[in-house]
Amino acid sequence: MFITVLLLLLIWSGDCNASTSPQNGVAIKGYDTVAYFKAGKAVKGSASFTFPWHDMTWQFSTKENRDLFAASPDKYAPQYDGWCAWAMTESRLAVTDPEVWKIVDGKLYLNCSQAAYEKWSRDIPSHIKEADAIWKEKFGKK
């Protein structure tokens, strides 16, 4: 019975693990945040093309993408510094799956799992408004 309850809780939570920092200081598991906008897909970055921003190292698949980010990080960086958009509505940080994403009104949002994305996508405008308020209040950022 305990195992069943535990499994149900993991499924219900969307399999999002809480965390306090990105893996090894590398933002969004090394994915190229500019590629979401330019290529329309998740693309793994390279340690050859990096840029430091918000106390993390951001990796890019090309020098051009790195330079675009360096010139305008707020334009390309995911919201909430890459933390899960759904978890932010619950006032918590969760490391994201860079393959689970959506661009809304020119802004990139990542989620920690497909289940979290499905919850978040039920009312994206309200969830963004709620997460933005929590991000600003709890983390001092917009």
Side-chain angles (χ1 to χ4, degrees), residues 15-92:
D15 198 24
C16 294
N17 296 320
S19 183
T20 57
S21 65
Q23 293 181 327
N24 301 320
V26 175
I28 64 172
K29 297 182 181 176
Y31 278 70
D32 181 344
T33 189
V34 175
Y36 293 101
F37 295 91
K38 290 184 61 193
K41 62 182 180 178
V43 175
K44 191 80 167 140
S46 165
S48 299
F49 306 109
T50 64
F51 186 78
W53 188 70
H54 282 199
D55 299 322
M56 292 178 279
T57 300
W58 297 77
Q59 294 184 342
F60 304 90
S61 57
T62 66
K63 179 186 181 308
E64 177 187 5
N65 284 4
R66 182 199 57 207
D67 293 348
L68 285 169
F69 184 85
S72 188
D74 288 323
K75 178 178 180 179
Y76 295 105
Q79 299 303 291
Y80 323 121
D81 279 350
W83 297 108
C84 176
W86 172 253
M88 191 58 59
T89 68
E90 297 178 334
S91 195
R92 63 187 178 88

Side-chain angles (χ1 to χ4, degrees), residues 27 35 54 85 118-119:
H54 282 199
E118 289 170 12
K119 292 175 193 177

Side-chain angles (χ1 to χ4, degrees), residues 115-137:
Y117 172 81
E118 289 170 12
K119 292 175 193 177
W120 180 75
S121 67
R122 290 182 189 141
D123 187 358
I124 292 173
S126 293
H127 290 140
I128 289 173
K129 185 177 180 180
E130 183 178 358
D132 284 354
I134 291 167
W135 181 246
K136 184 177 181 181
E137 177 186 330

